[in-house]
Amino acid sequence: MSEDFTADELMTVSSARELQDRTVCFVGIGLPSTAANLARLTHAPRTVLVYESGTIGSKPAALPLSIGDGELAETADSVVSVPEIFNYWLQGGRIDVGFLGAAQVDRRGNLNSTVIGDYDKPKVRLPGGGGAPEIAAMVREVIVIIRQSERSFVEEVDFRSSVPATGDMVVITDLGVLRRQDDELVLTRVHPGVSVEQAKEATGWDLRVADDLDETDPPSDEELRVLRELRSALEEAKA
Amino acid sequence: MSEDFTADELMTVSSARELQDRTVCFVGIGLPSTAANLARLTHAPRTVLVYESGTIGSKPAALPLSIGDGELAETADSVVSVPEIFNYWLQGGRIDVGFLGAAQVDRRGNLNSTVIGDYDKPKVRLPGGGGAPEIAAMVREVIVIIRQSERSFVEEVDFRSSVPATGDMVVITDLGVLRRQDDELVLTRVHPGVSVEQAKEATGWDLRVADDLDETDPPSDEELRVLRELRSALEEAKA
Amino acid sequence: MAEVQSLEDAVRELVHDGDSVALEGFTHLIPFAAGHEIIRQGRRDLTLIRMTPDLIYDQLIGMGCAGKLIFSWGGNPGVGSLRRFRDAVENDWPRSLEIEEHSHAGMANRYAAGASNLPFAVLRGYLGTELMERSASTVARVECPFTGEELAAVPAIRPDVGIVHAQRADREGNVQLWGIVGVQKEIVLASERSLVTVEEIVDELEPRPGAIVLPTWSVTAVAEAPRGAHPSYAHDYYDRDNGFYQEWDEISRERDGFTRWMEENVL
Amino acid sequence: MAEVQSLEDAVRELVHDGDSVALEGFTHLIPFAAGHEIIRQGRRDLTLIRMTPDLIYDQLIGMGCAGKLIFSWGGNPGVGSLRRFRDAVENDWPRSLEIEEHSHAGMANRYAAGASNLPFAVLRGYLGTELMERSASTVARVECPFTGEELAAVPAIRPDVGIVHAQRADREGNVQLWGIVGVQKEIVLASERSLVTVEEIVDELEPRPGAIVLPTWSVTAVAEAPRGAHPSYAHDYYDRDNGFYQEWDEISRERDGFTRWMEENVL
C-alpha cells in the first residue's frame, strides 16, 4: 500500500471505485473522465464509457483533453450523432451511471455549473450546464466529483443547473464521500487522515453524518500507478 | 418517330417528361419509379431520385421491384434511416417533386390508396397510404400516374389517403394529362388518338376541359428504347 | 449483454401469447426465420407491428397468430396484394384482425419516439387525410407552444418484443448491419426485449462504410440464422428473391393452398 | 447545387450584419477558418449560435462581432474559462452580449427540429432546473395528448447561415465527413443558407466507415480551407492542437494582449 498520494488522487481513486464493472457510464470531461477510465483500466474492464460527443464504448489509451478527441471516436464501438446520443441513448434510459463535475452542490444535491452570484450580473460566469442537466435527470445513479469547501458545498446553489434524478446519488470529494438519503447529502465516509470536523467545516450547511461512518481505503499501488500513467500521458498531450 | 406503342408506354413516357432536370424527386415504387428512371436516363440525367427506404441519389441500372432493393443503396450518394428520410429530407422541405400512384383520384385531386368501399367493411382492402400522405403534403409538385376510368376517376374518393399540397399537381393517365386549377382537375392534354369524349366518359365527374387543350407528342424512338430496356431488365429480375 | 442462443430458445423466451411484436426491416433484412419460428411455436393473439407487413405478416396472419395489426403499407411490393391480410380484413379469416393504420412517416416517428423514451412524436402530416379520423385514438393535434401552429402528434410505439435481422454479430453479441438500415435501430431500442437474428457470428466486426453497430448491452438476444431474411435479402450476402415474391401471389391465393404450403415449408 | 468558391467570396455572399449564424462542429471539425474570415470582413450584430462556443466564438465575441449568443456550454474544453466570453457577459466588453442558454440536449433537439422543418421539439429535461425560468421564452411545458405526461418543448433553431467544416468535397460540391459527426448534418439542413469548408476537394468521394455525405443540392456553398479547423482537428488529417487551447488561456487573458494577437494572427 502506497503512502505518498495527494488528496486529489485519493478523490479520483475513490470515484473510480464507485463504478461497478459492466455498467454503462455517461462521462463528463475532466476528473469524471479520469476516474471512469481509471475504473476501466483497473477493477471494471467491461465498463462502457459513453461521451456526449456521440462515442459509445470508447476505450482511450490516454485521457482525452476534450469531450470529442479523435481517440474517443477511433476506439469506440459506435459513433452516433449528438441528437442521437442524447435522445436514443441517454433519454432512452440506457445509461446506468452519470459521472459529473460541478462548481457547487447543495444540501439536497442540486448542482450548479452556470454562475456564481446573480444570473443577470454574475460574479463569475461559469461554462454552463452542457450535457449535465439531462445526464443528471436520466441516469439511475449520479456520481459527482467535486472538491469540498464552504464555497462549493452550499446550503442552496446560486443556480440550479442540474437536478439529479431520484435514484442514487453519491458525491466524492477530497475529504470523503457523501450519499443522498431522504433528499439530503449525508457524510458516509472520510478519507484517511480527515476528521469529521474538517468535513463539517468545509460544508456550508449543518452536515449530517452517518451513524456507520466509514473510512476510505487508501489507493493501492496498482490504482496509483495506472492513475499516474493516465495523467502523465494527458500532460504530454497538452504540451 | 415510332408508331407501335401502348397506352401504358405513352403514359409512362408522358410522366417522365414532366420531370425537369436537376430536380429532387421522391419516388414511389411501380410506374412512378419507371417514369422517374426513364427521365433520368433520357432528358433529365441530373435528376436526383430519393426513395422512402432512405436512399438518396439512387441511380439504378435496372428498375427496382421493391422500394428497398439493394441496387438502390449501392448506387446512392447517401443511405439514411427511414425516420431521417421522412423528417430531415421530406418534411425538411428539400424535395421538389413527389411521383405517386393511387387507386382513385377525385375532382379536387385527393388520392385514395387505402380501401374501395367502406373502411370498416371494405370491398377491396388496398395496401394503404405508405409514404404517400406526407409525400403529397410536403413537396412543391405532385405528379400522379393512374389509369383513367370511371372507377378510378371519381367525384369523391372512397377514402382520403393523401391530400396533395397546394402547389402544382398534375395527373398523367393512359388517355391524357390533367392539371389542378382552382382546386379542380382539368383536362389539359389528350394523347394521340384519344378524344375529349373518351376522356370524359372515363371520368366520374363532369370533367372540365382547358380552352387551350393540347395533344401529347408520341414517344420518340429513344424514349421507347430506354423504357423497353428498363422493363425487360425488370422482367428478368422478377424471374 | 445480449445472450447468444438458438433461434428456437430465443423466440421461446422472448415471445409470448398476447405480446406486441415488431419484426422490422424495410424491404431489406426482413426477419423471416424468426417469423417462421413464431409460427412453429404457435403463438396466438399477437399484436403485430410493422410498417410494411410484407409476406412474413401475411404468413403470420394467415396462420392465425395475430389479433391486431399496426402498419402503414400492406402490399406485396412490386406484385400487388397481400392476400392473407386481405382475407383477414375483408372476411375475418382465419379470425378477425383489428387494424391500426398510419402513414410511413407516422410509424417511423412512433418508433423514434419509442427509442427516445418519449410518449409521443410531432410531425407535419395526417391533417386533411381520413387517417386522422379513422385512427383518431392514435393521432392527435398539438399546438406549437411558441408559434401556435397546429401539427399532428402520434403516440410512441414500445413493443414487448422487437425483432430484426442483421448481417453479423460478434461472439459478445455486438451487432453490425449495413445497406438500407430502415428502422432497425429504432425498433431494437424502442422494444422492451429484442432479438437480432444474424447471417453469421464472427470473431470481429470490421468497420465498413454505411454500417451501424448495436452494442451488445442494447440487445436482449442474438441468434444465428443463415439466410434468415430470405426471400428478403441481406446486403452483400444474398439478393432479394423476387421470383418468390411473385410466386407468393399464387401460393397465398386460396386458403387451402396457403395452409398446405405453410405445413410443408414452415411447420 | 452548391457553388464551389473561395472562402472570402462565400462568407461575403452568405454572412451579413445582423444575421443569425451557427458555426458548428462538436469539438471536432470546428470551422475556425470561416470564423476568422467573418472577423476579417468585420461583421457586426451577429446572433452567434453554437453548443460549445469554444475559442472561435471567444474570438468573434472579443472582436465585437456578436450581439447575442445562443449556447449550452461556454468553456475552454479541458482548460477552463473562455475569457473573452466572460468579459462580455460580466463586463460588457467590447459590448454587451445578450445570452440565450440551453442544455446540450435542448440545443441538439432545437437543431434537429430545424432540420425537420418543425417549429419545436419535445424532450425530457429542463424540468426542475433554473434554465426553465431563465430561458422562459425558449423553454415551454407541453402535455402529451395521449398520456397527459408533462414534457419540455424548445423552439426550432433555423439560422440564417449554418457553417461547418468537413474533410472532403468533390468538384460538384457533395460533402463527406467522418469521425465525430456531432450536429454537422442538422445545422446544414436547419439553416437558410449553408457553407461547408473542406480540407480538400477531390475527384471522387470514396465510401468510408462512419462517413456521412451531404448531397451538393443540400448545401449553398463549398470552399476549400486546408487546416481550416485548426486548432480543432480534422479526423485522419491532423490532430487537435491541445497546446494551443492551453496557450489561448494566456493569450486571451487581457484585452490588449488578445487584441494584439488577433491583429497579428487573424486580421
Side-chain angles (χ1 to χ4, degrees):
Chain A
M1 191 201 300
S2 179
E3 283 300 316
D4 54 338
F5 53 85
T6 67
D8 260 21
E9 283 176 336
L10 184 52
M11 173 166 70
T12 309
V13 165
S14 211
S15 304
R17 289 176 186 160
E18 287 292 325
L19 204 58
Q20 290 174 3
D21 202 11
R22 293 178 187 274
T23 50
V24 179
C25 179
F26 211 101
V27 189
I29 209 64
L31 284 175
S33 176
T34 308
N37 277 290
L38 176 59
R40 185 175 60 81
L41 295 170
T42 54
H43 69 280
R46 308 294 295 256
T47 289
V48 177
L49 304 190
V50 178
Y51 287 82
E52 63 194 18
S53 52
T55 67
I56 298 174
S58 294
K59 297 164 272 294
L63 286 178
L65 182 66
S66 92
I67 206 82
D69 277 13
E71 171 99 353
L72 296 178
E74 269 157 23
T75 62
D77 294 326
S78 181
V79 179
V80 302
S81 74
V82 167
E84 180 177 325
I85 202 73
F86 280 104
N87 290 345
Y88 286 6
W89 298 89
L90 178 61
Q91 185 174 267
R94 268 165 275 279
I95 312 292
D96 300 311
V97 178
F99 228 128
L100 300 172
Q104 290 183 329
V105 61
D106 68 19
R107 186 199 283 257
R108 305 183 63 186
N110 297 311
L111 303 175
N112 174 19
S113 46
T114 305
V115 288
I116 301 299
D118 180 60
Y119 185 80
D120 289 318
K121 211 62 210 167
K123 253 187 283 187
V124 182
R125 172 65 230 198
L126 301 163
E134 279 78 20
I135 298 173
M138 297 305 304
V139 296
R140 273 173 274 283
E141 181 183 7
V142 176
I143 306 177
V144 179
I145 313 183
I146 180 172
R147 293 184 189 92
Q148 193 167 352
S149 76
E150 267 193 289
R151 279 165 58 189
S152 63
F153 271 57
V154 293
E155 175 70 35
E156 196 167 346
V157 288
D158 290 5
F159 190 91
R160 262 190 338 276
S161 311
S162 306
V163 181
T166 48
D168 291 339
M169 178 178 184
V170 52
V171 180
I172 319 278
T173 81
D174 48 343
L175 302 180
V177 174
L178 302 90
R179 289 182 194 276
R180 192 166 59 180
Q181 294 172 358
D182 301 329
D183 210 26
E184 177 172 351
L185 290 178
V186 175
L187 184 71
T188 58
R189 208 194 305 151
V190 286
H191 294 327
V194 176
S195 69
V196 167
E197 215 37 56
Q198 266 179 283
K200 285 190 162 190
E201 273 167 29
T203 303
W205 71 86
D206 186 15
L207 179 65
R208 269 179 55 200
V209 180
D211 294 341
D212 53 349
L213 184 75
D214 223 344
E215 192 179 281
T216 309
D217 287 335
S220 70
D221 289 345
E222 166 77 358
E223 285 169 329
L224 274 183
R225 185 184 59 73
V226 174
L227 174 58
R228 287 170 184 173
E229 277 172 18
L230 279 171
R231 295 211 118 136
S232 68
L234 180 62
E235 288 310 314
E236 266 173 57
K238 282 184 185 178
Chain B
M1 190 199 301
S2 181
E3 282 303 314
D4 53 337
F5 53 85
T6 68
D8 262 21
E9 283 175 335
L10 184 53
M11 173 166 70
T12 309
V13 166
S14 212
S15 304
R17 290 177 186 159
E18 287 293 324
L19 204 58
Q20 290 175 2
D21 201 11
R22 293 178 188 274
T23 49
V24 179
C25 178
F26 211 101
V27 188
I29 211 64
L31 284 177
S33 177
T34 308
N37 277 289
L38 176 58
R40 186 175 61 78
L41 294 170
T42 53
H43 70 281
R46 309 292 296 254
T47 289
V48 177
L49 304 190
V50 177
Y51 287 82
E52 64 194 18
S53 52
T55 67
I56 297 175
S58 294
K59 295 164 273 294
L63 286 178
L65 183 65
S66 91
I67 205 81
D69 276 14
E71 169 100 350
L72 296 178
E74 269 158 22
T75 61
D77 295 326
S78 181
V79 179
V80 302
S81 75
V82 167
E84 181 177 326
I85 201 74
F86 280 104
N87 290 344
Y88 285 6
W89 298 89
L90 178 62
Q91 186 175 266
R94 267 164 277 278
I95 312 291
D96 301 310
V97 178
F99 229 128
L100 300 171
Q104 288 183 330
V105 61
D106 68 20
R107 185 197 283 257
R108 305 184 61 188
N110 297 311
L111 304 174
N112 174 18
S113 46
T114 306
V115 288
I116 303 297
D118 180 61
Y119 185 81
D120 289 319
K121 210 62 209 166
K123 254 187 284 185
V124 183
R125 172 66 228 196
L126 302 163
E134 280 79 18
I135 297 173
M138 299 303 306
V139 296
R140 272 173 277 282
E141 181 184 6
V142 176
I143 305 177
V144 179
I145 312 184
I146 180 171
R147 292 186 190 91
Q148 192 167 353
S149 75
E150 268 193 291
R151 280 164 59 189
S152 63
F153 270 57
V154 294
E155 174 70 35
E156 198 167 346
V157 288
D158 290 5
F159 190 91
R160 262 191 336 277
S161 310
S162 307
V163 180
T166 49
D168 291 338
M169 177 176 186
V170 53
V171 179
I172 319 278
T173 80
D174 47 345
L175 302 181
V177 175
L178 302 89
R179 290 183 192 276
R180 192 167 58 181
Q181 296 171 357
D182 300 330
D183 210 25
E184 177 171 349
L185 290 178
V186 175
L187 185 70
T188 58
R189 208 195 303 153
V190 285
H191 294 327
V194 176
S195 68
V196 168
E197 216 36 60
Q198 265 178 285
K200 285 191 165 190
E201 272 167 29
T203 304
W205 70 86
D206 185 15
L207 179 64
R208 269 179 54 199
V209 180
D211 294 339
D212 53 347
L213 185 76
D214 222 345
E215 192 180 278
T216 309
D217 288 335
S220 71
D221 289 345
E222 166 76 0
E223 285 169 329
L224 275 182
R225 185 184 58 73
V226 174
L227 174 58
R228 286 169 185 174
E229 276 173 22
L230 279 169
R231 296 212 117 134
S232 69
L234 180 64
E235 287 311 313
E236 267 173 55
K238 283 185 183 175
Chain C
M1 294 276 295
E3 190 172 353
V4 180
Q5 54 191 156
S6 74
L7 178 57
E8 190 185 333
D9 289 348
V11 167
R12 180 160 294 117
E13 283 180 26
L14 299 185
V15 185
H16 314 120
D17 286 351
D19 277 353
S20 61
V21 185
L23 290 87
E24 267 296 354
F26 200 87
T27 309
H28 179 214
L29 293 172
I30 301 177
F32 272 89
H36 290 167
E37 185 58 36
I38 291 172
I39 292 171
R40 278 192 295 273
Q41 294 189 12
R43 294 282 69 78
R44 285 293 175 270
D45 298 321
L46 300 177
T47 291
L48 292 179
I49 307 166
R50 218 182 118 74
M51 294 176 70
T52 61
D54 208 273
L55 309 195
I56 187 60
Y57 278 19
D58 215 31
Q59 296 174 357
L60 280 151
I61 290 166
M63 294 300 282
C65 302
K68 181 176 177 181
L69 175 70
I70 302 176
F71 76 110
S72 43
W73 191 84
N76 179 342
V79 179
S81 288
L82 291 176
R83 298 181 181 282
R84 297 297 101 224
F85 158 67
R86 280 185 57 182
D87 203 12
V89 173
E90 295 170 9
N91 310 306
D92 294 342
W93 190 91
R95 51 164 295 178
S96 67
L97 182 71
E98 185 188 343
I99 61 172
E100 179 182 311
E101 186 165 4
H102 281 263
S103 67
H104 278 353
M107 288 293 283
N109 275 291
R110 296 182 70 182
Y111 290 158
S116 302
N117 184 27
L118 287 175
F120 72 109
V122 175
L123 73 157
R124 295 178 188 280
Y126 291 94
L127 303 179
T129 75
E130 270 174 272
L131 278 176
M132 188 97 197
E133 300 148 31
R134 288 297 173 169
S135 302
S137 64
T138 50
V139 188
R141 290 158 197 263
V142 288
E143 204 178 82
C144 172
F146 305 103
T147 66
E149 205 177 343
E150 193 169 82
L151 297 133
V154 285
I157 291 181
R158 307 212 66 168
D160 293 321
V161 195
I163 303 179
V164 300
H165 190 69
Q167 279 98 336
R168 293 179 184 170
D170 66 18
R171 292 181 202 290
E172 295 184 353
N174 297 293
V175 170
Q176 186 187 40
L177 61 113
W178 62 91
I180 287 170
V181 295
V183 291
Q184 307 288 84
K185 182 183 278 188
E186 285 74 18
I187 208 66
V188 166
L189 298 183
S191 298
E192 182 69 26
R193 309 182 288 280
S194 61
L195 164 61
V196 183
T197 56
V198 294
E199 285 300 317
E200 56 175 340
I201 289 175
V202 298
D203 289 330
E204 198 164 347
L205 302 175
E206 285 159 32
R208 338 182 24 120
I212 60 175
V213 169
L214 292 165
T216 178
W217 47 272
S218 64
V219 175
T220 314
V222 168
E224 202 169 34
R227 291 187 66 79
H230 177 271
S232 164
Y233 72 107
H235 205 117
D236 290 331
Y237 281 76
Y238 46 90
D239 290 334
R240 189 168 187 269
D241 187 349
N242 291 325
F244 185 82
Y245 275 82
Q246 301 271 335
E247 286 164 33
W248 183 252
D249 198 45
E250 201 45 49
I251 294 167
S252 62
R253 187 175 299 269
E254 302 297 336
R255 294 171 184 173
D256 286 357
F258 160 78
T259 309
R260 206 175 322 117
W261 190 91
M262 291 299 293
E263 280 165 0
E264 282 166 15
N265 293 278
V266 173
L267 292 182
Chain D
M1 295 275 296
E3 190 172 352
V4 179
Q5 55 190 155
S6 74
L7 177 56
E8 192 185 333
D9 288 348
V11 168
R12 180 159 294 120
E13 282 179 28
L14 298 185
V15 186
H16 314 121
D17 286 351
D19 277 351
S20 60
V21 185
L23 289 87
E24 267 296 353
F26 202 87
T27 308
H28 179 213
L29 294 172
I30 301 177
F32 272 88
H36 289 167
E37 185 58 36
I38 292 172
I39 293 171
R40 278 193 293 274
Q41 294 188 12
R43 294 282 69 79
R44 286 291 174 272
D45 299 321
L46 301 177
T47 292
L48 291 179
I49 307 166
R50 220 184 116 75
M51 295 176 69
T52 61
D54 208 273
L55 308 196
I56 187 60
Y57 277 19
D58 216 30
Q59 296 175 356
L60 280 152
I61 290 166
M63 294 300 282
C65 302
K68 182 176 178 182
L69 175 70
I70 302 175
F71 77 109
S72 43
W73 191 83
N76 179 344
V79 179
S81 288
L82 291 177
R83 297 183 183 280
R84 298 296 100 223
F85 158 66
R86 279 185 58 182
D87 204 11
V89 173
E90 294 171 9
N91 311 306
D92 294 341
W93 191 92
R95 51 165 295 178
S96 66
L97 182 72
E98 186 188 343
I99 61 171
E100 179 181 313
E101 188 166 1
H102 281 263
S103 66
H104 278 352
M107 287 292 284
N109 276 290
R110 295 182 70 182
Y111 290 158
S116 302
N117 184 26
L118 287 174
F120 72 109
V122 175
L123 71 159
R124 296 179 187 279
Y126 292 93
L127 304 178
T129 75
E130 270 172 272
L131 278 177
M132 188 94 195
E133 299 148 33
R134 289 297 173 170
S135 301
S137 64
T138 50
V139 187
R141 290 159 196 264
V142 287
E143 203 178 82
C144 172
F146 305 103
T147 65
E149 204 178 344
E150 192 169 82
L151 298 131
V154 285
I157 290 181
R158 307 211 67 169
D160 294 320
V161 194
I163 303 179
V164 300
H165 190 69
Q167 280 99 337
R168 291 179 186 171
D170 65 18
R171 293 181 201 288
E172 294 184 354
N174 296 293
V175 170
Q176 187 187 40
L177 61 112
W178 62 90
I180 288 171
V181 295
V183 291
Q184 307 288 84
K185 182 184 279 189
E186 284 73 18
I187 208 65
V188 166
L189 297 184
S191 298
E192 183 68 26
R193 308 182 288 280
S194 60
L195 164 62
V196 183
T197 56
V198 295
E199 285 299 319
E200 56 174 341
I201 290 176
V202 298
D203 288 331
E204 198 165 349
L205 302 175
E206 285 158 33
R208 331 181 32 118
I212 60 173
V213 169
L214 292 165
T216 178
W217 47 272
S218 65
V219 175
T220 313
V222 168
E224 201 169 34
R227 290 187 66 78
H230 177 270
S232 166
Y233 72 107
H235 205 117
D236 288 332
Y237 281 75
Y238 46 91
D239 289 336
R240 190 169 187 269
D241 187 349
N242 291 325
F244 185 82
Y245 275 83
Q246 301 271 332
E247 285 163 33
W248 183 252
D249 199 43
E250 202 44 49
I251 293 167
S252 63
R253 187 176 298 270
E254 302 296 338
R255 295 170 185 174
D256 286 355
F258 160 76
T259 308
R260 205 174 322 117
W261 190 92
M262 292 299 291
E263 280 164 1
E264 281 165 16
N265 293 279
V266 174
L267 292 183

